[in-house]
C-alpha cells in the first residue's frame, strides 16, 4: 500500500557552512512542519512496488541539488540530481528579503514588518512553484512540501 510521505529528512552537514539562530530556527520549523504533513511521491516505479514512506537526505554537490531517497528501512532507493541554476536568483532574493525581515522585526513599525513579510512570502511561494515545476515527472509534491523543501535548500546555501 502506498504511503507517499517523508518520515525523516536530513541535511548534509558538510554542505552547511554557517548559520545563525534565525536560520537554525527556520530549519527546525521547516523540518518539523514537513514531517508533520507532507506529500512526497517519487514517480519511478520500483520492481518491488515500494511506494513509501521515505527517508530523504538533501545535499549540494558541484552546484547541483542531490536528493537521496531511501526506504523506511534505510536501504537506498534512488538519488535525484537537479541543477540549481534556475534557483540561484530565488535563493538570493529570499536571503535578501529574510535579512530585511529580521532587521524590520527589531526596529520597524508593525505595518512595515507586515509589508516585508508579505514580500518574503511571495518570493517563497514563487520558489516553491518553481521547485514543483522542476520536480514534475520525477517527484510529486504538494505546495506546502515544496515550500518547506525550498527553505531547506536555502539553508544548504548559506555561506556566512
Amino acid at each position: 500500500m502506498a504511503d507517499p510521505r517523508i518520515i525523516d529528512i536530513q541535511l548534509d552537514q558538510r554542505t552547511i557552512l554557517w548559520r545563525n539562530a534565525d536560520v537554525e530556527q527556520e530549519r527546525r520549523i521547516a523540518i518539523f512542519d514537513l514531517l508533520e504533513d507532507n506529500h512526497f511521491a517519487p514517480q519511478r516505479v520500483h520492481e518491488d512496488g515500494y511506494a513509501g514512506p521515505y527517508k530523504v537526505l538533501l545535499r549540494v554537490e558541484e552546484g547541483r541539488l542531490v536528493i537521496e531517497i531511501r526506504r523506511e528501512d534505510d536501504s537506498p532507493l534512488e538519488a535525484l540530481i537537479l541543477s540549481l541554476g534556475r534557483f540561484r536568483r530565488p535563493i538570493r532574493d529570499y536571503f535578501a528579503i529574510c535579512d530585511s525581515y529580521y532587521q524590520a522585526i527589531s526596529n520597524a513599525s508593525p505595518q512595515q514588518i507586515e509589508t516585508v513579510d508579505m514580500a518574503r512570502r511571495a518570493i517563497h511561494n514563487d520558489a516553491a512553484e518553481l521547485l514543483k515545476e522542476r520536480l514534475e515527472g520525477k517527484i510529486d509534491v504538494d505546495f506546502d512540501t515544496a515550500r518547506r523543501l525550498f527553505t531547506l535548500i536555502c539553508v544548504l546555501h548559506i555561506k556566512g
Side-chain angles (χ1 to χ4, degrees), residues 54-124:
Y54 304 98
K55 293 183 176 183
V56 174
L57 171 69
L58 299 178
R59 71 176 189 276
V60 175
E61 269 184 23
E62 300 176 4
R64 292 180 181 92
L65 175 66
V66 179
I67 304 171
E68 284 186 25
I69 305 169
R70 295 181 167 272
R71 298 169 190 262
E72 186 173 23
D73 68 5
D74 215 31
S75 60
L77 198 56
E78 64 181 287
L80 179 67
I81 300 171
L82 286 180
S83 170
L84 286 167
R86 291 188 55 201
F87 290 97
R88 289 194 209 303
R89 183 179 185 111
I91 290 169
R92 187 174 54 244
D93 291 348
Y94 188 66
F95 283 151
I97 198 71
C98 284
D99 285 344
S100 296
Y101 178 72
Y102 296 132
Q103 288 173 11
I105 287 175
S106 63
N107 60 17
S109 71
Q111 187 174 11
Q112 290 169 319
I113 293 170
E114 185 177 341
T115 300
V116 173
D117 189 44
M118 287 173 46
R120 181 176 73 127
R121 288 177 201 227
I123 291 169
H124 203 169

Side-chain angles (χ1 to χ4, degrees), residues 122-152:
I123 291 169
H124 203 169
N125 290 347
D126 290 347
E129 290 294 345
L130 175 61
L131 182 57
K132 279 185 57 121
E133 176 186 309
R134 296 285 292 125
L135 291 173
E136 194 170 313
K138 300 170 184 81
I139 303 172
D140 182 45
V141 295
D142 62 13
F143 180 74
D144 289 335
T145 300
R147 279 185 109 252
R148 294 165 185 144
L149 288 172
F150 177 73
T151 299
L152 297 175

Side-chain angles (χ1 to χ4, degrees), residues 22-35:
D22 293 326
V23 171
E24 186 59 23
Q25 180 68 2
E26 291 278 329
R27 182 196 66 79
R28 276 196 302 270
I29 291 169
I31 288 174
F32 178 84
D33 289 348
L34 182 70
L35 295 178

